[in-house]
Amino acid sequence: MLAGMTTSTQLLAAVNTAILQALAAQAYTVHGRSKQMAALRDLMKARTELMDEVDAEASGSMVSLLSLEQPTA
């Protein structure tokens, strides 16, 4: 998971930003340093999944990224 990002809404915003960056330039090299963006196909899949999670959170569902922890005794 991305550091400091715990909600589906925050992750969705990050994925949307990554999609825009991937559409602008999939890969480039500057001063000998290369950067490759995530595959658009993978970003679109993640976006769809996160949109479903955000909708579930907004409707009062108890499912969240933080609820995936093991219960403590």
Side-chain angles (χ1 to χ4, degrees):
M1 183 182 309
L2 299 172
M5 293 191 181
T6 56
T7 69
S8 297
T9 301
Q10 290 171 315
L11 290 170
L12 179 58
V15 168
N16 283 333
T17 298
I19 288 170
L20 290 174
Q21 290 173 345
L23 290 173
Q26 185 58 37
Y28 60 90
T29 301
V30 176
H31 303 295
R33 296 186 67 161
S34 297
K35 183 170 184 175
Q36 175 74 39
M37 299 296 184
L40 185 57
R41 167 187 72 248
D42 296 336
L43 290 169
M44 297 299 283
K45 180 180 176 189
R47 181 176 181 238
T48 299
E49 292 170 1
L50 287 166
M51 288 174 69
D52 290 344
E53 287 183 26
V54 168
D55 288 344
E57 289 171 0
S59 67
S61 171
M62 296 300 291
V63 175
S64 72
L65 294 174
L66 297 177
S67 68
L68 298 177
E69 296 179 23
Q70 292 288 353
T72 55

